[in-house]
Amino acid sequence: EVAASVHLNPAYFSTLFKKNVGQGFREYLAERRIEAVKRCLRSSTGRIKDIAAAEGFDDYPYFCRLFKNLVGQTPQEYRLSQGQGPVQKKE
């Protein structure tokens, strides 16, 4: 979609992006989305699953694996390490 929006062949866009940015587009996008999730986890008490979905992660188990791989903690561990307590369940 991005390649089409800038009128480039997807393979050429990928090569050009990696040459200029130093990493593939998907990796770049995933890291930017994880950074956005981290900002939300520091400032919000919303459900992690909802925050992840709002940032474009529809597959929650994949998101959790990716988050731990990039950050070194689970999303819940990260939130707790940033001083945000667990979300209280509404009754």
Side-chain angles (χ1 to χ4, degrees):
E1 288 178 32
V2 175
S5 72
V6 292
H7 308 290
L8 293 174
N9 174 289
Y12 180 66
F13 171 79
S14 179
T15 301
L16 194 60
F17 190 91
K18 188 166 190 168
K19 179 181 175 186
N20 286 287
V21 178
Q23 67 185 139
F25 180 72
R26 288 181 188 211
E27 295 164 315
Y28 176 84
L29 184 59
E31 287 180 9
R32 300 293 81 72
R33 286 178 172 169
I34 291 293
E35 287 302 317
V37 169
K38 286 169 58 179
R39 282 191 301 275
C40 289
L41 292 175
R42 289 191 300 265
S43 63
S44 168
T45 58
R47 289 179 32 183
I48 295 171
K49 187 173 186 174
D50 295 338
I51 292 169
E55 294 302 332
F57 292 104
D58 297 327
D59 183 344
Y60 187 67
Y62 166 75
F63 159 74
C64 289
R65 285 190 309 273
L66 180 63
F67 191 97
K68 182 154 187 169
N69 185 31
L70 293 175
V71 180
Q73 299 175 301
T74 66
Q76 183 65 30
E77 290 168 344
Y78 179 81
R79 174 179 263 171
L80 292 172
S81 76
Q82 300 300 306
Q84 290 288 342
V87 177
Q88 299 296 319
K89 291 185 178 182
K90 296 178 183 177
E91 295 183 31

